Every structure is written in C-alpha cells, then in structure tokens.
C-alpha cells in the first residue's frame, strides 16, 4: 500500500465522504423513480468545477436500476493533485451512489485515466462498489457487451501522455467559459447548453478523431467476440453499429456529466437508450406546467 500513497495524497480531505445527511435532500421516493435494468454513466469529473453536479444529482434522484456501471473518470485525480476542490454537492453524489449499493443495486466502478489511481484496487470491493479494470454485461435480450472506459484506445494517451495533460489544461479553460455561459443562461431562464460540446461538433479534427475512435473501439470489441461495447472517455454520447466480418458490433458511448450530461440505459427488454438529462428535465417541467394548466381550467 505504501507505493500507492503519493497518488492518493490529493484525497486526504475526502476521508469524510459521507455526511449523515446530504446537503441536497433526495427529491423522490423509490416508487416515483424511472426504473431501468442497467444504467451506465461516466466522465463525471468530481473534484472539478466543470462537473454538473446539480444535473447529476437530479438524475440520481429520478432514476433507479438493478445494476449501475461507473465507466471511468468519476473522480478527476489529475485536477485534484494540482488544486483541491470538493464542494458538498460532490459528496452528495458519492453518498447517493453508495446508498444505491447499500440497498442492493450492483455498482461496478471501472476507473479511467483521470482516476487511474484507483486501478490498482481492481478486484476489490469498497462499500458495495466493485472495482474492475473492465467488465462484461449480458443484456436482457441475450447480447454480450464489453464495458471499459476507453482511454486504452486513445492514441494521444498511449503515445504522447504529456500532450494529454496539456490538452486537459486547455479543456478545463474551456470548461470555465462553459460555466459562465451556463450561469448566464440560467439567469435568463434558458435551458442548459454546452458551448464546448457545440464547438467540438463543429471542428473537423475533433469530428474525425471521434469517428476514428469509435471505429477502433468497435473493432476491438468484435475481435474479442462480443456483440457490442460500452465506453466513455471522449465525452460524446453515441449509439451506432459497425460492420465486423459478416456481422455487426454495437458501439455505445454513455457521454459525460461535464458537457452533454447524458447516461446510457438498458430497459428491461434489452432496449438501449441514451438519456440527455437537460432534455428530460425540460420534458418533466413541461408536463408539470400542462398538468397545472389543466387543474386551473378544471377549477
């Protein structure tokens, strides 16, 4: 354990993760939540100002599942080593995840590159949370999916690790701008919108990188004889099929909770769906407004 200590020094102040009660109380009972067979979320980046904690807390308070996969970059160790940042809302997220494990939800945590300091604990169980380097998931309709963070297939991470750190610094500068834009839009009563996500989809090189990454990950899954793959890492939610030999391999990316605020879910019949949570909140608020209007008319 002593050789792990330097990597974990940034987390000394997180030793009291769980308060008796969260700062943000749970908003719904279990009976009121949308139930899924499986939920995948990744790239939360706890420990950074870019983490959309409020949206993720709302997601956790309105959904439930038999199994939840945390597909890497849950905690941002890179940033915490530079400057410690851990607001109460980040504690609330950890509290909610551990509470799910306590009541019987299977939680599988697959560390990514930003929380790589957790990888040496693979095979262990902490508070009901299984730590794994990768996992395999069998869907309700009989398909076998490989689940991993995906940095293993990022050529920048593999060949030029220093460049990945430079890119991380630039990315967090963009996240500050993203936060300012989100705050202004909230004051104006406008829905959440990510300037960084919009820019990424407009830049040709980013689009080409994402497309190549998806193809490489899907091919690797096909070579391992599985029906599909679930990953994160590139902060771009996606569902698509790739040709492999005479068949197809399903590629799923659950997105992130910094830019897109998305989750991948499996329904009880095996159907897969990406939930864009800002849109889900907008739908919920519209339904409440419609019901209130009907109630006023009836009165």
């Amino acid at each position: 354990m002593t050789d792990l200590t330097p990597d974990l020094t940034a987390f000394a102040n997180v030793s009291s993760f769980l308060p008796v009660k969260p700062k943000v109380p749970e908003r719904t009972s279990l009976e009121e939540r949308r139930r899924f067979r499986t939920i995948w979320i990744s790239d939360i980046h706890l420990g950074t100002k870019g983490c959309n904690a409020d949206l993720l807390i709302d997601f956790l308070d309105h959904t439930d599942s038999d199994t939840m996969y945390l597909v890497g970059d849950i905690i941002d160790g890179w940033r915490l080593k530079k400057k410690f940042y851990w607001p109460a809302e980040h504690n609330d997220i950890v509290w909610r995840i551990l509470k799910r494990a306590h009541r019987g939800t299977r939680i599988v945590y697959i560390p990514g590159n930003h929380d790589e300091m957790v990888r040496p604990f693979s095979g262990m169980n902490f508070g009901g949370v299984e730590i794994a380097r990768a996992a395999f998931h069998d869907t309700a309709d009989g398909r076998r999916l490989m689940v991993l963070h995906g940095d293993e297939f990022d050529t920048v991470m593999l060949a030029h690790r220093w460049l990945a750190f430079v890119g991380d610094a630039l990315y967090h500068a963009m996240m500050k701008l993203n936060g300012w834009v989100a705050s202004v839009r909230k004051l104006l009563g406008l829905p959440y919108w990510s300037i960084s996500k919009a820019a990424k989809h407009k830049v040709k090189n980013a689009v080409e990188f994402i497309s190549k990454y998806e193809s490489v990950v899907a091919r690797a899954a096909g070579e391992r004889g599985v029906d599909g793959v679930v990953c994160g890492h590139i902060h771009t939610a996606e569902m698509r099929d790739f040709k492999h030999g005479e068949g197809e391999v399903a590629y799923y990316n659950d997105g992130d909770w910094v830019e897109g605020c998305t989750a991948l879910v499996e329904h009880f019949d095996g159907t897969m769906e990406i939930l864009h949570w800002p849109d889900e909140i907008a739908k919920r608020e519209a339904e409440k407004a419609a019901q209130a209007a009907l109630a006023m008319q009836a009165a």
Side-chain angles (χ1 to χ4, degrees):
M1 289 293 290
T2 53
D3 60 326
L4 299 177
T5 303
D7 286 337
L8 298 174
T9 53
F11 301 97
N13 294 325
V14 194
S15 58
S16 57
F17 260 149
L18 293 181
V20 176
K21 293 183 180 179
K23 178 183 177 182
V24 180
E26 290 185 292
R27 299 179 176 95
T28 59
S29 66
L30 289 178
E31 293 73 20
E32 297 174 288
R33 301 181 184 190
R34 294 170 61 183
R35 281 199 54 80
F36 301 98
R37 186 172 185 265
T38 316
I39 292 175
W40 290 266
I41 57 174
S42 74
D43 299 273
I44 299 172
H45 291 275
L46 294 173
T48 72
K49 294 182 179 179
C51 169
N52 271 297
D54 291 343
L55 283 172
L56 180 53
I57 288 172
D58 188 87
F59 170 80
L60 294 172
D61 283 353
H62 287 86
T63 62
D64 202 6
S65 61
D66 296 341
T67 304
M68 171 177 275
Y69 289 93
L70 307 174
V71 195
D73 286 2
I74 305 306
I75 299 171
D76 197 321
W78 290 9
R79 302 305 297 180
L80 285 173
K81 286 180 183 179
K82 295 179 180 179
K83 184 177 181 181
F84 188 83
Y85 174 80
W86 196 273
E89 290 79 7
H90 292 201
N91 256 8
D92 289 355
I93 290 169
V94 177
W95 183 89
R96 282 164 165 79
I97 290 172
L98 292 183
K99 186 176 180 182
R100 287 179 182 229
H102 180 71
R103 68 169 183 258
T105 300
R106 184 190 178 208
I107 307 287
V108 182
Y109 179 10
I110 300 169
N113 50 302
H114 283 261
D115 47 11
E116 60 191 353
M117 72 291 298
V118 183
R119 285 177 170 170
F121 296 101
S122 295
M124 301 181 71
N125 186 305
F126 293 92
V129 177
E130 304 171 28
I131 312 294
R133 192 65 181 82
F136 291 93
H137 175 78
D138 295 319
T139 64
D141 56 3
R143 293 175 298 138
R144 191 160 178 78
L145 306 179
M146 180 171 67
V147 185
L148 72 173
H149 179 63
D151 59 295
E152 301 92 333
F153 303 98
D154 185 337
T155 54
V156 173
M157 278 296 303
L158 292 174
H160 304 288
R161 186 173 172 81
W162 66 270
L163 188 58
F165 283 99
V166 172
D168 179 65
L170 294 173
Y171 180 77
H172 280 278
M174 175 67 83
M175 286 302 98
K176 288 184 180 179
L177 176 60
N178 207 62
W180 295 335
V181 171
S183 297
V184 171
R185 289 179 65 85
K186 188 174 183 178
L187 286 173
L188 296 175
L190 299 172
Y192 174 81
W193 177 75
S194 171
I195 186 173
S196 56
K197 182 181 178 182
K200 187 161 64 177
H201 280 83
K202 293 291 184 181
V203 178
K204 181 180 178 182
N205 287 344
V207 173
E208 289 178 351
F209 168 79
I210 291 169
S211 179
K212 184 176 181 180
Y213 173 87
E214 293 172 344
S215 177
V216 168
V217 174
R219 184 172 68 247
E223 290 171 351
R224 286 160 177 77
V226 295
D227 301 299
V229 59
V230 179
C231 62
H233 186 56
I234 59 172
H235 294 206
T236 303
E238 182 64 270
M239 294 172 53
R240 58 184 299 198
D241 293 326
F242 286 86
K243 291 286 186 181
H244 183 77
E246 297 181 357
E248 290 186 335
V249 174
Y251 169 89
Y252 302 103
N253 193 304
D254 59 26
D256 70 290
W257 288 89
V258 176
E259 302 172 76
C261 300
T262 54
L264 176 69
V265 298
E266 178 196 2
H267 294 271
F268 285 94
D269 62 355
T271 302
M272 306 287 277
E273 181 184 6
I274 291 173
L275 300 180
H276 180 244
W277 203 246
D279 289 348
E280 297 298 321
I281 291 176
K283 288 180 193 175
R284 192 171 72 221
E285 295 302 320
E287 290 173 0
K288 286 182 181 178
Q291 290 172 1
L294 287 173
M296 289 181 64
Q297 289 176 4

